[in-house]
Amino acid sequence: MIILRLAIPSPLRRLFDYLPPSDEDNADLEPGIRLLVPFGKRDVIGILVEVSDTSDFAINKLKRAKKRLDTTPPLPQHLFKLARWAASYYQHPEGDALQQAIPVLLRKGHACEHQHETLWRSKEGATISQLKANALRQRELLTLILEHPQGISEDAIRAEGGNTQSLSALEKKSLVESFHREHKLAIENILHEAPLTLNPEQQTTLAQINKHEGFSVSLIEGITGSGKTEIYLQAIEKALRAGKQALILVPEIGLTPQTVSRFKKRFGVPIAILHSNLTDRQRLDAWLQAREGIARIVIGTRSAIFTPLKTPGIIIIDEEHDPSFKQQDGFRYSARDLSVMRARSENTPVILGSATPSLETLHNAVEGRYQWLKMTQRAGNSAPPAFKLLDIRQEKLSEGLSNQLVTAIGQHLNAGTQVLVFLNRRGYSPTLSCNDCGWIADCTRCDAHMTLHKSPPHLHCHHCDKQQGIPQRCPECNSDQIQPVGVGTERSEQALQNLFPDFPVIRVDRDSTQRKDAMHDIMNQVNTGAPCILVGTQMLAKGHHFPKVTLVAIINADSGLFSADFRGMERTAQLILQVAGRAGRADHPGTVMMQTYHADHPILQTLVEHGYSAFAQEELHNRRIAQLPPYTHYALLRAETTTQYRAESFLGALRQQLEDDMLLPHGVHWIGPFPSPMEKRAGMHRAQLMIYAENRKALHQLLANLCWYLEQNKEARKVRWSIDVDPADTF
Ligand SMILES: [Zn+2]
Ligand SMILES: [Zn+2]
Ligand SMILES: [Zn+2]
């Protein structure tokens, strides 16, 4: 008896038993292959997890799989195992997790192979003279084909005015033939350009990485400008020379043409780039090229962690602290943490790099689990930026800007350099309010104010995307005294343009860069080096280099200091340093001016005076005292309902039930339930329960119990619940 146990894309955390498509063809039923199976009223793609000879269900009740879709599994066994492990670790249904580990077209049942493009070429010895003088169309077409010895596609032929009749006429005369382009391994030159000369600190760092054979985890904690990327490039070069491949993960916002061009300039080998603008077909092709070893370097964002490599050589996670490495919904995995698991199973080194490492990673380095490599010198001759805190408690700000700051901006522009103004709020102003009665433009679906935009004019909720017109009069008291409150990037842009009419002001935020080439145009303008003001959100802070910027102004630096999220402080520090790192990158020394209402805040002072390392040590100390991660392990059980209080009371009852049934292992603790920091969002009322334990095993035992419990529970079907293991934020 052969029973196939399949993972099916369904919210249920269990596997499903099927009979094989036929009793004869049962050879090589390898775990990981896809099968088309009936499920409820539909046909779905299931993934084989194991073959068994028994089932808990009556054999005559089992359905037969309809069709086998693969001869060999799309994912290599160790990645298949990694995805299964991740499903269990992150408490996510296995069927869905396995689907997310493969490209969209494979989830839809497409064949796991390259698209075969038909090309045409001339046969040996074919010449125009073999055609009659009056066969004009055929002569033209043959000329065209002769001009393309590598082959030309039918689309291209039609675009050049050729037609199918002429083509088949030429084929009949044995002058041309069709063929499929082969994807073949072609390694010509590994390097396009010579590597840079390393300074002594870089040499030591690279030597430390290279001294390990096989699996090792290295944290490169290197200040901005210390030349981390050059270390990556030379570590990759070593892998390539050994005939291996490299996988590089970058933050979502960091996968810019600048990043890509640096790799393309250095290396002569094929590079697969998994960016968000690829079509499903292009993505599958890039994925296959990585799997077949054709692409030697793979660069992508979070989901690229599941890209198979034929000859894995090294994994690099750039900006490892970036929250985008953790998926925030559905399958809530951390690509950074999985990269360490993956490197271990593939026996390769993994490098985690950042100027501002996450406290989790730092903790691992402090404990000696990761090799800790510090780079504290700027490569080249550039000096690190000087920090200045601007105490604005007593100041009257004009459009969010203090006098001191405006003066400094003017000085830098007049000296012929560029200025970057950072403001982490897009739109014109964070909200609109009535001077007479105090009404505020709130979103009806969220516990949040609506952002005012002026171009085009509208109110916009940045949490649920609701948009509406701007009222002319106050909806409460009918007064016409309604005014924008606070400053966003649009308003700042306008204010700066009024203050400095002789200099261009360039806004960089999600709204101003929607057009496809917008960012490219902005960079071209900035790269001319002419004095200008860049004003924008964290889009400015990541992935882009502005060598001519000498002043970085941070407008609302302290907005994250008192966040309800225990990571608020860490995120604020990372963002400040990242923005600061944009100043003075080449031969211009830089200044960073930060406006703050908390100039005497000890943590802010540590950060500014002693740098990120000192800050991180203090913050780790605070976390230890407060029993927060990385000293404990956290999970968040979230629930949301359309009715107020319902989510909270559901979690309360659940907690009580688990305590009564003594399903709470020793050493596991609860906090809550309490309403989420933003209780209402997109019309849903939300609550959460924090669960933590010093011992990871104990936590996972509880989470497994909890999932089992919730799946049986009738009440649980009336709420939307989810579990987030190692949550990146607590909202
Ligand atoms: Zn009013
Ligand atoms: Zn908006
Ligand atoms: Zn909203």
Side-chain angles (χ1 to χ4, degrees):
M1 197 74 225
I2 293 177
I3 310 289
L4 307 183
R5 204 147 287 148
L6 301 187
I8 301 286
S10 109
L12 297 173
R13 285 165 172 78
R14 48 164 286 219
L15 301 173
F16 295 84
D17 289 359
Y18 285 88
L19 298 172
S22 76
D23 287 328
E24 295 80 43
D25 172 27
N26 290 324
D28 306 321
L29 285 164
E30 236 185 293
I33 61 165
R34 297 170 300 152
L35 293 118
L36 186 71
V37 295
F39 187 72
K41 288 183 181 134
R42 309 171 293 144
D43 287 346
V44 301
I45 311 286
I47 295 178
L48 181 63
V49 169
E50 56 185 25
V51 181
S52 175
D53 49 12
T54 57
S55 174
D56 294 341
F57 302 91
I59 304 293
N60 57 5
K61 290 272 169 60
L62 293 184
K63 290 186 188 159
R64 204 171 263 289
K66 288 198 166 163
K67 196 175 156 195
R68 172 177 178 165
L69 299 174
D70 295 307
T71 44
T72 54
L75 279 179
Q77 281 307 313
H78 67 274
L79 276 189
F80 180 64
K81 280 192 191 138
L82 181 72
R84 290 196 66 201
W85 179 87
S88 120
Y89 180 86
Y90 293 104
Q91 304 294 334
H92 193 71
E94 197 166 337
D96 191 56
L98 287 174
Q99 293 265 332
Q100 291 203 38
I102 57 176
V104 170
L105 286 188
L106 297 187
R107 294 176 210 166
K108 291 182 178 164
H110 285 246
C112 189
E113 56 191 33
H114 289 283
Q115 189 169 37
H116 287 295
E117 193 187 17
T118 305
L119 300 175
W120 291 86
R121 66 185 164 205
S122 59
K123 286 189 132 180
E124 228 183 292
T127 59
I128 302 290
S129 56
Q130 288 163 277
L131 290 167
K132 284 186 192 144
N134 63 357
L136 285 180
R137 282 176 169 276
Q138 290 179 36
R139 290 177 79 106
E140 268 175 31
L141 181 56
L142 185 57
T143 311
L144 178 70
I145 292 172
L146 283 166
E147 282 166 4
H148 292 84
Q150 309 289 336
I152 179 168
S153 71
E154 288 202 34
D155 281 348
I157 287 173
R158 268 191 294 275
E160 297 283 336
N163 64 37
T164 328
Q165 285 116 308
S166 316
L167 194 58
S168 40
L170 291 179
E171 191 182 17
K172 267 193 205 127
K173 292 173 187 157
S174 284
L175 294 171
V176 300
E177 63 184 0
S178 67
F179 68 104
H180 286 163
R181 193 197 304 276
E182 276 180 45
H183 294 272
K184 59 171 189 287
L185 277 164
I187 299 196
E188 298 107 36
N189 292 318
I190 286 179
L191 294 185
H192 264 327
E193 59 171 27
L196 303 180
T197 310
L198 302 180
N199 65 26
E201 193 181 56
Q202 286 176 308
Q203 282 172 20
T204 315
T205 307
L206 186 63
Q208 288 297 108
I209 291 166
N210 285 344
K211 87 174 180 217
H212 298 272
E213 286 298 323
F215 173 66
S216 67
V217 192
S218 307
L219 161 65
I220 305 184
E221 180 183 6
I223 61 163
T224 313
S226 59
K228 287 186 292 294
T229 311
E230 187 59 33
I231 305 279
Y232 301 160
L233 294 173
Q234 298 196 18
I236 293 168
E237 183 188 335
K238 181 184 173 223
L240 295 176
R241 291 201 185 282
K244 294 178 175 172
Q245 292 162 282
L247 172 65
I248 298 109
L249 300 194
V250 296
E252 263 161 23
I253 211 167
L255 191 51
T256 62
Q258 278 178 318
T259 312
V260 171
S261 76
R262 183 133 187 215
F263 282 87
K264 287 198 167 157
K265 251 163 86 186
R266 173 66 57 90
F267 297 111
V269 300
I271 302 180
I273 310 211
L274 299 163
H275 57 76
S276 54
N277 290 334
L278 293 185
T279 63
D280 289 346
R281 184 69 241 175
Q282 289 169 325
R283 187 168 290 271
L284 176 57
D285 282 340
W287 190 89
L288 287 166
Q289 285 177 20
R291 195 182 73 159
E292 290 159 13
I294 296 160
R296 307 304 297 168
I297 298 176
V298 177
I299 310 176
T301 51
R302 180 179 60 228
S303 63
I305 188 60
F306 293 112
T307 310
L309 300 177
K310 189 171 189 206
T311 49
I314 189 168
I315 305 180
I316 293 169
I317 314 289
D318 189 26
E319 308 287 352
E320 67 84 32
H321 66 279
D322 195 275
S324 74
F325 287 123
K326 177 84 158 71
Q327 184 144 298
Q328 304 282 5
D329 50 20
F331 182 19
R332 294 172 167 82
Y333 65 93
S334 157
R336 178 196 64 208
D337 295 350
L338 288 182
S339 76
V340 176
M341 296 291 291
R342 175 168 177 176
R344 188 193 302 271
S345 77
E346 291 181 337
N347 196 29
T348 67
V350 54
I351 302 177
L352 311 177
S354 174
T356 54
S358 65
L359 295 188
E360 275 81 3
T361 298
L362 268 178
H363 179 62
N364 279 322
V366 172
E367 301 276 300
R369 281 188 287 271
Y370 296 173
Q371 167 168 249
W372 193 0
L373 306 168
K374 290 181 216 173
M375 293 172 66
T376 55
Q377 285 151 32
R378 287 201 161 198
N381 302 319
S382 61
F387 268 95
K388 214 174 193 180
L389 288 180
L390 301 180
D391 187 344
I392 49 170
R393 272 173 298 190
Q394 312 296 332
E395 277 237 31
K396 177 135 177 40
L397 303 180
S398 151
E399 303 288 293
L401 303 168
S402 66
N403 270 332
Q404 276 192 76
L405 193 58
V406 173
T407 311
I409 293 174
Q411 282 165 353
H412 282 260
L413 291 175
N414 288 321
T417 60
Q418 300 176 340
V419 174
L420 188 154
V421 177
F422 172 76
L423 177 61
N424 215 10
R425 284 187 203 131
R426 60 200 173 101
Y428 184 81
S429 73
T431 194
L432 191 66
S433 164
C434 169
N435 273 0
D436 287 337
C437 75
W439 167 85
I440 290 175
D442 281 332
C443 177
T444 51
R445 308 178 65 222
C446 306
D447 288 331
H449 302 322
M450 294 193 89
T451 299
L452 174 70
H453 287 264
K454 282 214 168 164
S455 57
H458 67 287
L459 291 171
H460 185 194
C461 174
H462 286 171
H463 301 281
C464 71
D465 209 31
K466 181 183 160 155
Q467 305 190 23
Q468 64 187 54
I470 302 170
Q472 295 305 307
R473 292 181 163 272
C474 172
E476 292 288 323
C477 74
N478 210 33
S479 154
D480 59 0
Q481 295 298 305
I482 47 175
Q483 283 184 343
V485 182
V487 180
T489 46
E490 249 184 75
R491 188 171 187 178
S492 199
E493 174 192 21
Q494 202 180 79
L496 288 162
Q497 193 64 83
N498 292 340
L499 285 165
F500 303 103
D502 299 335
F503 297 97
V505 178
I506 306 159
R507 176 161 58 94
V508 182
D509 57 25
R510 222 189 304 168
D511 301 308
S512 74
T513 53
Q514 268 176 2
R515 191 170 48 81
K516 197 168 152 270
D517 295 322
M519 201 61 210
H520 185 75
D521 294 348
I522 288 170
M523 290 311 296
N524 279 344
Q525 191 181 352
V526 176
N527 286 337
T528 62
C532 67
I533 303 176
L534 282 153
V535 51
T537 56
Q538 56 177 326
M539 283 189 83
L540 280 175
K542 298 183 183 177
H544 299 288
H545 305 307
F546 305 104
K548 284 285 162 58
V549 166
T550 52
L551 173 64
V552 168
I554 304 180
I555 302 299
N556 54 347
D558 41 25
S559 55
L561 285 181
F562 300 100
S563 152
D565 189 333
F566 70 82
R567 280 184 225 272
M569 201 77 83
E570 179 186 349
R571 291 276 149 74
T572 305
Q574 287 163 344
L575 194 55
I576 288 173
L577 285 193
Q578 203 133 44
V579 180
R582 303 303 109 193
R585 297 206 48 162
D587 44 354
H588 302 264
T591 305
V592 181
M593 293 182 114
M594 272 168 67
Q595 296 193 150
T596 174
Y597 288 102
H598 308 281
D600 46 9
H601 195 298
I603 285 254
L604 204 53
Q605 286 191 335
T606 303
L607 181 69
V608 166
E609 279 165 29
H610 305 290
Y612 185 81
S613 285
F615 156 81
Q617 274 179 23
E618 269 184 36
E619 189 60 7
L620 274 174
H621 176 74
N622 296 340
R623 296 261 186 101
R624 186 201 292 272
I625 291 170
Q627 282 295 292
L628 287 165
Y631 298 95
T632 47
H633 304 289
Y634 256 66
L636 213 54
L637 175 61
R638 297 189 178 93
E640 44 183 66
T641 60
T642 47
T643 329
Q644 202 174 4
Y645 309 123
R646 184 74 179 276
E648 214 179 326
S649 62
F650 163 74
L651 290 178
L654 177 76
R655 174 185 168 161
Q656 193 58 51
Q657 191 76 57
L658 287 170
E659 280 173 358
D660 292 350
D661 292 357
M662 300 205 284
L663 283 170
L664 196 60
H666 181 71
V668 178
H669 311 276
W670 313 86
I671 306 175
F674 47 79
S676 303
M678 186 184 289
E679 195 268 332
K680 192 169 76 164
R681 183 172 179 169
M684 299 297 279
H685 294 272
R686 312 172 324 143
Q688 59 195 33
L689 191 58
M690 272 181 159
I691 310 165
Y692 68 95
E694 267 173 61
N695 180 308
R696 203 185 273 286
K697 271 214 177 92
L699 178 66
H700 279 264
Q701 189 195 328
L702 170 78
L703 293 177
N705 286 343
L706 195 60
C707 281
W708 174 82
Y709 214 86
L710 285 163
E711 287 194 338
Q712 320 297 318
N713 189 309
K714 256 196 207 148
E715 287 302 304
R717 274 172 225 154
K718 298 177 193 159
V719 301
R720 218 191 268 169
W721 60 269
S722 63
I723 290 177
D724 194 348
V725 179
D726 307 333
D729 61 56
T730 50
F731 285 84

